[in-house]
Amino acid sequence: MIKFLDLKAINDSFEPELSNAIKRVLDSGWYLLGNEVKAFEQEYSNYIGTKHCIGVANGLDALRLIFKAYIVLGEMQEGDEIIVPANTYIASILAVSDNRLKPVLVEPDIHTYNIDPFKIEDKITSRTKGIMIVHLYGQNAMYPEIQKLVDKYNLKLIEDNAQASGAHYGEKRTGGLGDAAGNSFYPGKNLGALGDAGAVTTDDDNLATVIRAMANYGSSKKYVNDYQGLNSRLDEIQAAILRVKLSRLDGDNQRRREIARFYIENIKHPDIILPQVSDWVSNVFHIFTIRCKQRDKLQNYLSDQDIQTLIHYPIPPHKQQAYKEWNKFNIPITEKIHEEILSLPISPVMSQQDVEKACNVINCF
C-alpha cells in the first residue's frame, strides 16, 4: 500500500528528538505559555522573516484573530468586505464570516488554482478593506498585480499560509508578505504538530499586541481583560515538537519538490493535467494535484492498485450548506477544479520506488 501521507513514518523519522522534546516539557512541569512557546515563536518568526509570531490553537483561529484584532483596532467594522479566493478550503472563508465581515469570492487561475490577480479589481468596492490570498496546495499566491491593488486602494493584505510554510515569493517567504498571516501546524501540514496548532505572523506591533491578548481571553495581564477574547493558545508540548521539525523543514520541502518534479516529468497520460510550475522555490508541494475528467474512475483504479489518493476538495465553499445563500452562484472555474482535482501521495518519507510505481500505474490507466 502506498499511503497518501504516512504520518507515523514521518514522526518516526524525527526520533529520538521528538520523544526527548516531549520529556523536556514533562520534566519542566510547565505546560502553557512557557519557554518552549517563546522559543518556537522566535525561531518561526526568524524563519518566516517577520518581527512577530504569536502561537495559537490552530490555523483557523490564527485567521479569525487577525480579523478580530483589526476590528478592535478600528481598521475594519461589521459588514466590510474581504476579497477571498472562491477556490480554497472553507476555513479561509469561515475566518471572515465569523467576524461578521463579508467574503467576496474571486475565481482562480485555472493553471495555478490560486486567486486570479486580474479578476480582483472588478470586485473591489468602497466597502472593501482587505484581500486574503491563500497559498493553496503549498504554492505562492502573491503577484505584483495584487500588491498594486493593495497600494492603490489602501487595503490590508492577509495571507492564509496554512499550506505553504517554507514557500517563497522572490527573496521573502510566504507568511511574511502581507500585513498578517495565519499559519497552520495541523499534523498533516509540511510543518506538523502532533495535534492542532497554529500561529499568526506579522510585522505590525499593535496588531501583534492585540492578537496576543485576544488569544488569551483578551488579557495581557492575569485576571485583567481588555478585550472580549478567545482561549486560543499553542501549548508547550506542541511548541517543543514544532521546534524539532522546523530544523528540517527546508530539507523536507526539497524532497517534496523532487517527488513533484519526478511526477511532472514521468506522468505521460494524455487525460491527466499536471501542475504548471514556473518557479520551484515558490512551491513546497503540500499537496500534489492533478486533474482528470474521469477523476472518480481514476481514483477507484488507483485504490484497486493500492495507491491512496484524496480529493482536495470535493465541494467548493459556495456549494456548501453552510453558505446556502451562495449555492446558486455560477463560479465555473472553481466548480471545474473541484470536479476534476485529485491529490497524489507525496511526503518527505515517500520512497523513490513508490514514486516510480505511482507514475507507472497512472500511465497504464
Side-chain angles (χ1 to χ4, degrees), residues 20 72 93 142 161 164-165 203 217-219 222 250 304 333 351:
N20 291 340
V72 164
I93 294 167
M142 186 58 176
N161 196 44
S165 291
D203 285 329
Y217 299 99
S219 171
K222 195 164 187 178
D250 284 342
D304 290 342
I333 298 173
S351 72

Side-chain angles (χ1 to χ4, degrees), residues 301-316:
Y301 163 76
L302 291 173
S303 179
D304 290 342
Q305 300 291 323
D306 287 333
I307 299 173
Q308 284 186 344
T309 59
L310 291 178
I311 298 170
H312 293 90
Y313 300 94
I315 306 171

Side-chain angles (χ1 to χ4, degrees), residues 18 40 43 185 191-194 197-198 234 237-247:
L18 285 188
F40 172 71
E43 290 160 12
F185 310 121
L191 178 61
L194 297 188
L234 178 65
I237 285 181
Q238 301 304 342
I241 287 160
L242 290 167
R243 292 182 68 196
V244 171
K245 291 190 169 187
L246 180 59
S247 67

Side-chain angles (χ1 to χ4, degrees), residues 108-171:
D109 180 324
I110 190 63
H111 302 298
T112 66
Y113 310 133
N114 279 327
I115 194 167
D116 188 329
F118 299 102
K119 292 180 178 172
I120 294 174
E121 190 164 20
D122 286 346
K123 297 293 183 78
I124 294 173
T125 72
S126 60
R127 295 304 303 270
T128 306
K129 290 296 191 295
I131 299 172
M132 183 195 288
I133 57 173
V134 181
H135 305 297
L136 198 65
Y137 311 142
Q139 182 175 212
N140 164 62
M142 186 58 176
Y143 296 91
E145 293 80 11
I146 294 176
Q147 188 62 54
K148 288 175 186 173
L149 295 176
V150 166
D151 296 338
K152 179 178 178 180
Y153 294 99
N154 192 27
L155 303 175
K156 297 296 183 188
L157 178 64
I158 297 100
E159 296 172 80
D160 182 339
N161 196 44
Q163 299 185 9
S165 291
H168 280 81
Y169 172 65
E171 295 298 313

Side-chain angles (χ1 to χ4, degrees), residues 25 28-41 53-57 198 211-223 230-240:
V25 174
S28 77
W30 196 283
Y31 311 115
L32 279 169
L33 302 180
N35 291 330
E36 296 290 344
V37 169
K38 286 178 187 172
F40 172 71
E41 288 177 340
C53 169
I54 304 101
V56 298
I211 288 173
R212 192 172 291 283
M214 294 281 282
N216 188 34
Y217 299 99
S219 171
S220 52
K221 183 180 177 183
K222 195 164 187 178
Y223 302 132
L230 309 174
N231 173 20
S232 181
R233 300 178 295 200
L234 178 65
D235 70 66
E236 287 285 283
I237 285 181
Q238 301 304 342

